[in-house]
Amino acid sequence: MFLHIFVCLPVCHSRSRLILPSSLGIYWGFYETFKANILSRKQLQELPVAWAFLSGATAGTIAGVATLPFDVVKTHRQIELGQLLTAKAAPIRTEATHTLALLSKLYREKGFASLFSGVTPRIAKVAPSCAIMISSYEFFRGYFRRRNATKAKTDEGPLAGKSLRTVKTPLQKSKE
């Protein structure tokens, strides 16, 4: 069921390749799953804006929490890089260099909660933005779908009743 959720981004390091889940893939995967469940349970053709808002916020929250440990690792890497660049003495060496090693090091040294530091501000940022984006997307998708259907019914001529029209660009015309 959730197979379509894991759109992955490669993260490369010296010895091997690690595939991490993309926040966007998790977000859209959960949103589409929520949407399908709501539409089937409520027997609707189109998702109401309020449900889209709630589903978008929930999917964004799940994606934000799921990818937060990787964001924490990224922040630690940025801090280490800043320290290396500003250090006047010998460069600071760290034993953990790749993502899984850094996740493991954080877990061992600072505990499970360290992997989710900053979760509240992240959710406060992600949930509303995802909710607004999805509800806007669903609202305008429905609006333009209805508008195109109405316009297709009232059009006259050889393309009457067609909602999709083909327009040839100058490049396409020159190939004929």
Side-chain angles (χ1 to χ4, degrees), residues 130-143:
C130 291
I132 292 167
M133 193 277 296
I134 281 294
S135 57
S136 299
Y137 167 77
E138 289 294 342
F139 173 80
F140 285 109
R141 182 173 163 235
Y143 169 78

Side-chain angles (χ1 to χ4, degrees), residues 1-20:
M1 178 165 95
F2 289 105
L3 188 58
H4 62 283
I5 291 174
F6 294 101
V7 174
C8 296
L9 298 174
V11 175
C12 299
H13 51 83
S14 62
R15 284 182 252 158
S16 63
R17 234 179 144 159
L18 174 68
I19 304 295
L20 299 176

